[in-house]
Amino acid sequence: GADSGNPLLRTLPVDPGNSAQTGIWECQPGGWTVIDRPDTEVCYILSGRATLTDDESGQQVEISTGSFVVLPVGWTGRWDVTETVRKVYVIY
């Protein structure tokens, strides 16, 4: 669903027997919109750089190595990856 760049994704799921989705995710530069997230994602950025834009407030936040991000149920906004991002995530 990217509308900017050609972001190639790689995902390494961890503990597939768990009710939450956990793993490592990597994405090359590009951008896309997220509309009305159906779940909550908590992630820690291991490397890279991106900008998250919240539709409701218009606030833009740059995330990079060491950032901790929570995207709640219902979040609508945009990811713009400027430097390949690798993150550890939990989705529940």
Side-chain angles (χ1 to χ4, degrees):
D3 58 19
S4 170
N6 185 24
L8 300 176
L9 303 175
R10 293 192 310 175
T11 304
L12 175 62
V14 177
D15 193 13
N18 193 335
S19 61
Q21 299 173 42
T22 57
I24 299 171
W25 178 88
E26 184 176 275
C27 181
Q28 294 177 354
W32 60 92
T33 300
V34 175
I35 299 172
D36 196 19
R37 237 193 116 78
D39 45 30
T40 296
E41 177 179 0
V42 177
C43 61
Y44 180 79
I45 307 301
L46 299 171
S47 62
R49 186 173 304 280
T51 300
L52 297 180
T53 304
D54 181 79
D55 270 5
E56 187 176 321
S57 67
Q59 181 181 12
Q60 291 187 327
V61 176
E62 186 172 300
I63 60 173
S64 59
T65 303
S67 294
F68 184 79
V69 179
V70 178
L71 299 174
V73 169
W75 184 78
T76 295
R78 182 169 179 82
W79 276 84
D80 285 293
V81 175
T82 51
E83 198 177 288
T84 299
V85 167
R86 179 176 284 178
K87 67 181 181 181
V88 175
Y89 67 88
V90 175
I91 298 173
Y92 59 95

